[in-house]
């Protein structure tokens, strides 16, 4: 396991790249156009689990003792933070499910957003959040492209006084990471992989295409 601290603007900022060949083999699978929807969701869920385990090692812990059958005490570290897991529909859902397996006691929140394919701006259609005051909020979304969707979610979360905000993504574009950290350098970002390019229509390159469609199929435009 290797933690790479990336340097931005001559400042150490918390982007944690959990470099691991098992995780990379899962990223390879979700990039593969032949991976079907069911497999795609399953691989994303695994990625969520692995990255969440990496996140856990950086959380506050408390010690707990257990007396074994040998009548000797063993001491272990447990996560000592109140966690709220949040995701952005649709594509964030399988990744979120994987993170939830690692933090099953967490409360959960949901955002529904639509990205306008021309302006690349997301509109927030639905927000369901538990109280997040002084809690650690982990936002899991599969793709961090321009960062626009995450930023909309972050701004809503920030107004409600969280202790800290952590982002998990499967693939993040460098530009999206930079946009988030420009907004708030205290946010901790855990991408499973960072891609270099964002094309003119806001897709990550090499990326994996439209993550929502890869999970659930094409969507139609419904005006309401
Ligand atoms: C994807 C992804 C993010 C967003 C990232 O969702 O799950 O929410 O794009 O792009 P951004 O960083 O440029 O905002 P998408 O808009 O494709 O919606 P979907 O999940 O419903 O398909
Ligand atoms: N949303 C996606 O689903 N894929 C991208 O590459 C960018 C945004």
């Amino acid at each position: 396991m290797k933690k790479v601290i990336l340097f931005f603007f001559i400042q150490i900022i918390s982007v944690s790249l959990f470099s691991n060949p098992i995780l990379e083999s899962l990223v390879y699978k979700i990039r593969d156009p032949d991976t079907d929807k069911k497999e795609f969701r399953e691989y994303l869920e695994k990625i969520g689990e692995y990255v969440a385990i990496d996140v856990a090692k950086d959380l506050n812990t408390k010690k707990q003792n257990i007396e074994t059958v040998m009548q000797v005490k063993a001491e272990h570290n447990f996560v000592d933070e109140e966690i709220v897991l949040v995701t952005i529909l649709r594509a964030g859902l399988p990744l979120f499910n994987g993170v939830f397996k690692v933090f099953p006691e967490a409360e959960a929140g949901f955002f529904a957003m639509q990205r306008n394919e021309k302006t690349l701006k997301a509109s927030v259609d639905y927000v369901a959040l538990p109280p997040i005051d002084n809690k650690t909020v982990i936002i899991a979304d599969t793709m961090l492209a321009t960062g626009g969707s995450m930023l909309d979610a972050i701004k809503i979360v920030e107004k409600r006084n969280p202790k800290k905000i952590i982002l998990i993504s499967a693939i993040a574009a460098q530009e999206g990471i930079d946009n988030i950290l420009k907004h708030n350098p205290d946010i901790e970002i855990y991408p499973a992989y960072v891609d270099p390019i964002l094309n003119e229509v806001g897709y990550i390159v090499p990326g994996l295409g439209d993550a929502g469609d890869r999970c659930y199929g094409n969507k139609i435009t419904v005006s309401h």
Side-chain angles (χ1 to χ4, degrees):
M1 188 191 313
K2 189 168 61 179
K3 180 167 175 176
V4 181
I5 303 287
L6 302 179
F7 290 78
F8 296 95
F9 317 118
I10 325 171
Q11 187 183 6
I12 298 177
I13 288 175
S14 219
V15 176
S16 229
L17 197 54
F18 178 28
S19 176
N20 179 301
I22 302 297
L23 185 61
E24 281 207 32
S25 68
L26 294 169
V27 173
Y28 174 99
K29 292 284 195 189
I30 58 171
R31 287 194 197 275
D32 183 347
D34 289 334
T35 296
D36 68 23
K37 293 195 280 294
K38 176 176 177 288
E39 292 169 328
F40 188 89
R41 294 191 304 269
E42 286 167 357
Y43 291 133
L44 265 186
E45 196 168 317
K46 270 269 166 264
I47 290 172
E49 277 184 69
Y50 292 171
V51 177
I53 287 168
D54 190 45
V55 168
K57 76 178 189 330
D58 297 330
L59 297 176
N60 292 331
T61 55
K62 63 176 176 215
K63 304 235 179 264
Q64 207 158 310
N65 290 315
I66 181 83
E67 189 173 311
T68 71
V69 288
M70 309 307 291
Q71 296 179 331
V72 174
K73 281 191 177 146
E75 190 177 66
H76 291 284
N77 289 311
F78 282 68
V79 171
D80 188 23
E81 304 210 21
E82 283 189 277
I83 293 172
V84 177
L85 286 184
V86 177
T87 195
I88 303 172
L89 303 175
R90 294 178 292 169
L93 210 45
L95 189 76
F96 164 92
N97 286 337
V99 179
F100 219 163
K101 282 192 173 163
V102 174
F103 301 111
E105 308 298 334
E107 291 175 280
F110 299 87
F111 289 99
M113 292 185 196
Q114 298 221 38
R115 204 167 78 130
N116 182 307
E117 297 298 334
K118 289 209 179 85
T119 63
L120 304 183
K121 295 253 177 301
S123 63
V124 181
D125 290 343
Y126 174 75
V127 179
L129 271 182
I132 56 174
D133 211 83
N134 214 25
K135 295 179 185 169
T136 297
V137 176
I138 301 178
I139 310 176
D141 193 0
T142 295
M143 305 301 270
L144 175 60
T146 63
S149 309
M150 274 291 195
L151 273 174
D152 283 348
I154 287 165
K155 285 174 190 163
I156 292 167
V157 166
E158 280 173 336
K159 283 190 195 136
R160 286 158 181 84
N161 200 29
K163 182 173 156 197
K164 73 173 122 163
I165 301 175
I166 294 171
L167 310 183
I168 292 180
S169 65
I171 300 185
Q174 189 58 58
E175 195 176 319
I177 293 174
D178 294 347
N179 287 338
I180 303 283
L181 295 177
K182 237 178 267 165
H183 168 76
N184 181 347
D186 292 332
I187 289 176
E188 296 167 24
I189 308 180
Y190 292 76
Y193 208 83
V194 177
D195 274 359
I197 297 166
L198 204 53
N199 74 9
E200 62 287 353
V201 285
Y203 274 83
I204 298 175
V205 180
L208 49 76
D210 187 305
D213 289 359
R214 298 288 311 271
C215 289
Y216 303 111
N218 296 341
K219 63 183 174 193
I220 55 166
T221 307
V222 180
S223 51
H224 55 285

